C-alpha cells in the first residue's frame, strides 16, 4: 500500500486484491515499549480476555439469542480482539460468525451503522481500500450533512483528536513520540479552531516539550475538540479503527488516510456543487464553494507533518500486511480529478465569463498540486524508489501524477 494520496490509474485499471494471500511480514515485537516504531498499547498491554476470540464469540452468541437488536451489537468485544491481535490474525470462526450477521433492513440508524461497519471486519486479509478505512460509515455521515460541510469538519476534528489521544497515551516513559504528538496536537488545534495564544494554549507555538506537560495539553485539547463533535460522528470514529497489524504506527496511518479521504470527499462535493452553480449563473456561490475546497486542501499540510513521523521499518510492516488495499482505489480522489474538467467545460458553455472564476480555480489547482508534490516527497522519504502497490511505479508514478492539473485548459 502506498500512502494516502496515490493518484488513480486510468479507468478500468484499478487493481483488485491478489488471487493468493500475500506473504505477511511479522508484526512488531510486542515485548518492545509501545509507541512510535513499536507495538500498539493494546498489543503491548492487552486485556487477557481480548487475546483470543472467545469473548467476542460469546458476546455475538448472546446478541443473537437476545433478539439481534442492532443498537446492542457487541462492538466492544469484537474490536477488543481485533485491535489486540491485528485484523490479519483474526481466526476463521469469528470471521464466519460476523459474516453471518444480517442487520434488519428497517432497523433505523443503528442497523445502517452496523451494515456500514461490517465490511470492515469481515474482509479478512483480502480486503480493499474502502474496507480498510470504513469508508461506508463515513459516506453515510456525509449523506446526512445538512450543508456547509459541518460533518466533514467534525469528522476531521474527531479523527485528529483520536490521533492525539493515542499518541499521548504512549508518551510517559517513552518520549520518542514527542515530535509526532506535538505535530498531531498542532493539526488538531488548527482543524478544531482551538485557541493558539496564551500560556495555557495548545497551539503550534505552545505545545510543551516536557512529556508530562504535553500529555496534559493533549488531554485538554482532545476534550475541547470532542465537545464540538456530534455523538454519532464520535461513534463512527470509535468504530472505524481495525488495523491489520499490532503496529502502533498503523493506527496513526489509518486515521491520517481517513482524514485525507474526508478532505477528498468534501472537495469532490464542492466541485460538483460549483459546477451546478456555474450552469445557473451563480458566480458568487461557485467562488465560495471553490474557496472552501481550497481551504480544505491547504489544511492537509499540517496533517502531512504527522505522517512524516512514521519510521521506514514500521511502514514496511504495514505495507506487507495491506497488499490489495491500495489508495489508487480511492473513489473520492478519482472524482475530484475527473470532475474538475467538467466544471471548466460548464463554465465555457454557461452564462458566466471564464474570468469570473479563473482566480478561484487557479487557487484550488495550485493547492491540489502542492498537496500531490508534498505526498511525492514523503513517499521518497518513507519508501524510496521501490515499486508501488496496485500496479503503480511508486514514487516515480507520484512524481508524474503531481504535474497533472485539475484545470489543464484554464487560460
Amino acid at each position: 500500500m502506498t500512502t494516502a494520496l496515490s493518484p488513480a490509474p486510468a479507468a478500468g485499471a484499478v487493481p483488485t486484491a491478489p488471487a493468493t494471500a500475500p506473504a505477511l511480514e511479522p508484526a512488531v515485537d510486542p515485548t518492545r515499549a509501545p509507541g512510535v516504531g513499536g507495538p500498539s498499547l493494546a498489543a503491548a498491554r492487552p486485556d487477557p480476555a481480548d487475546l483470543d476470540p472467545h469473548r467476542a464469540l460469546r458476546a455475538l452468541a448472546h446478541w443473537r439469542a437476545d433478539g439481534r437488536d442492532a443498537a446492542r451489537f457487541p462492538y466492544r468485544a469484537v474490536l477488543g480482539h481485533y485491535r489486540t491481535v491485528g485484523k490479519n490474525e483474526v481466526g476463521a470462526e469469528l470471521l464466519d460468525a460476523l459474516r453471518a450477521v444480517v442487520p434488519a433492513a428497517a432497523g433505523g440508524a443503528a442497523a445502517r451503522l452496523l451494515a456500514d461497519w461490517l465490511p470492515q471486519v469481515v474482509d479478512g486479509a483480502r480486503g480493499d481500500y474502502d474496507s480498510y478505512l470504513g469508508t461506508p460509515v463515513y459516506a453515510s455521515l456525509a449523506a446526512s450533512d445538512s450543508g456547509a460541510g459541518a460533518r466533514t469538519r467534525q469528522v476531521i476534528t474527531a479523527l485528529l483528536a483520536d490521533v492525539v489521544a493515542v499518541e499521548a497515551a504512549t508518551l510517559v516513559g517513552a518520549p520518542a513520540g514527542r515530535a509526532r504528538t506535538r505535530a498531531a496536537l498542532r493539526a488538531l488545534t488548527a482543524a478544531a479552531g482551538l485557541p493558539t495564544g496564551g500560556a495555557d494554549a495548545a497551539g503550534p507555538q505552545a505545545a510543551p516539550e516536557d512529556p508530562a506537560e504535553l500529555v496534559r495539553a493533549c488531554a485538554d485539547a482532545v476534550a475541547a475538540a470532542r465537545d464540538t463533535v456530534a455523538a454519532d460522528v464520535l461513534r463512527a470514529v470509535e468504530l472505524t479503527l481495525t488495523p491489520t497489524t499490532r503496529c502502533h504506527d498503523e493506527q496513526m496511518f489509518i486515521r491520517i488516510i481517513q482524514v485525507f479521504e474526508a478532505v477528498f470527499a468534501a472537495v469532490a462535493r464542492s466541485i460538483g456543487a460549483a459546477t451546478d452553480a456555474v450552469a445557473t449563473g451563480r458566480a458568487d456561490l461557485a467562488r465560495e464553494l471553490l474557496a472552501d475546497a481550497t481551504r480544505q486542501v491547504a489544511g492537509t499540510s499540517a496533517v502531512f507533518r504527522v505522517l512524516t513521523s512514521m519510521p521506514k521499518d514500521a511502514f514496511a510492516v504495514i505495507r506487507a500486511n495491506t497488499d490489495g488495499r491500495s489508495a489508487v482505489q480511492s473513489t473520492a480522489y478519482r472524482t475530484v480529478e475527473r470532475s474538475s474538467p467538467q466544471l471548466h467545460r460548464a463554465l465555457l458553455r454557461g452564462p458566466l465569463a471564464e474570468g469570473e472564476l479563473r482566480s478561484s480555480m487557479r487557487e484550488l489547482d495550485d493547492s491540489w498540486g502542492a498537496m500531490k508534490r508534498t505526498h511525492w516527497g514523503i513517499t521518497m522519504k518513507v519508501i524510496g524508489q521501490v515499486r508501488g502497490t496496485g500496479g503503480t511505479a511508486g514514487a516515480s508514478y507520484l512524481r508524474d501524477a503531481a504535474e497533472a492539473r485539475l484545470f489543464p485548459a484554464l487560460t
Side-chain angles (χ1 to χ4, degrees):
M1 183 180 210
T2 53
T3 47
L5 309 180
S6 301
V14 175
T16 57
T20 58
L24 302 181
E25 295 285 339
V28 174
D29 181 358
T31 64
R32 292 178 58 188
V36 175
S40 67
L41 279 170
R45 304 168 190 167
D47 180 336
D50 286 329
L51 284 171
D52 64 52
H54 294 143
R55 174 159 67 179
L57 287 166
R58 287 194 299 270
L60 282 168
H62 179 76
W63 176 76
R64 288 193 299 268
D66 198 35
R68 302 173 183 254
D69 181 357
R72 300 174 63 184
F73 185 82
Y75 291 106
R76 167 64 187 86
V78 173
L79 288 172
H81 179 62
Y82 269 66
R83 292 172 184 169
T84 299
V85 305
K87 181 159 61 172
N88 285 3
E89 296 299 320
V90 172
E93 186 178 7
L94 180 53
L95 283 172
D96 289 343
L98 289 166
R99 287 167 179 153
V101 173
V102 180
R112 184 173 64 252
L113 175 60
L114 181 56
D116 289 339
W117 176 80
L118 281 169
Q120 190 167 4
V121 293
V122 301
D123 59 349
R126 298 276 302 279
D128 61 15
Y129 184 70
D130 288 334
S131 68
Y132 186 58
L133 301 181
T135 300
V137 174
Y138 293 107
S140 288
L141 284 177
S144 64
D145 198 335
S146 60
R151 287 290 200 183
T152 296
R153 289 191 293 273
Q154 289 187 18
V155 165
I156 292 173
T157 295
L159 288 167
L160 290 173
D162 188 73
V163 174
V164 171
V166 170
E167 296 302 330
T170 67
L171 276 185
V172 176
R178 241 179 331 192
R180 177 184 296 176
T181 306
R182 296 181 85 241
L185 180 57
R186 291 166 182 160
L188 173 62
T189 298
L194 300 179
T196 59
D200 297 326
Q205 305 304 320
E209 288 284 354
D210 177 74
E213 293 181 10
L214 182 55
V215 169
R216 288 192 290 272
C218 288
D220 291 343
V222 168
R226 286 175 174 166
D227 280 346
T228 69
V229 178
D232 60 337
V233 175
L234 291 173
R235 181 64 165 161
V237 169
E238 177 189 1
L239 298 182
T240 52
L241 182 67
T242 53
T244 63
T245 72
R246 296 176 292 173
C247 179
H248 172 83
D249 294 86
E250 189 179 7
Q251 298 189 27
M252 177 275 289
F253 184 62
I254 289 171
R255 292 313 198 191
I256 295 303
I257 302 175
Q258 288 170 334
V259 168
F260 277 108
E261 278 297 299
V263 170
F264 298 160
V267 173
R269 288 193 297 272
S270 290
I271 290 174
T275 302
D276 293 339
V278 164
T280 55
R282 293 174 292 172
D284 289 345
L285 175 58
R287 279 192 291 270
E288 179 183 338
L289 289 162
L290 292 174
D292 183 66
T294 301
R295 284 191 294 270
Q296 293 278 7
V297 176
T300 62
S301 61
V303 181
F304 271 125
R305 295 188 188 101
V306 183
L307 192 60
T308 58
S309 65
M310 186 174 340
K312 289 183 178 181
D313 56 351
F315 186 74
V317 172
I318 299 167
R319 181 185 179 84
N321 281 271
T322 53
D323 193 21
R325 299 177 178 97
S326 175
V328 298
Q329 298 164 341
S330 171
T331 299
Y333 186 99
R334 293 198 304 271
T335 300
V336 171
E337 299 230 319
R338 292 175 180 174
S339 63
S340 297
Q342 296 174 13
L343 168 60
H344 194 201
R345 287 193 292 270
L347 180 61
L348 295 176
R349 293 194 303 262
L352 300 176
E354 184 183 34
E356 293 186 70
L357 291 183
R358 184 184 295 122
S359 176
S360 298
M361 293 166 68
R362 279 185 173 155
E363 288 175 1
L364 175 57
D365 208 341
D366 290 344
S367 291
W368 189 258
M371 179 189 67
K372 292 193 292 184
R373 288 189 294 275
T374 300
H375 178 232
W376 169 45
I378 291 174
T379 301
M380 288 294 295
K381 175 183 176 182
V382 176
I383 69 174
Q385 293 288 356
V386 300
R387 185 166 181 78
T389 58
T392 72
S396 63
Y397 171 61
L398 296 177
R399 179 196 60 206
D400 294 341
E403 300 306 317
R405 306 288 296 183
L406 288 180
F407 307 108
L410 189 65
T411 60

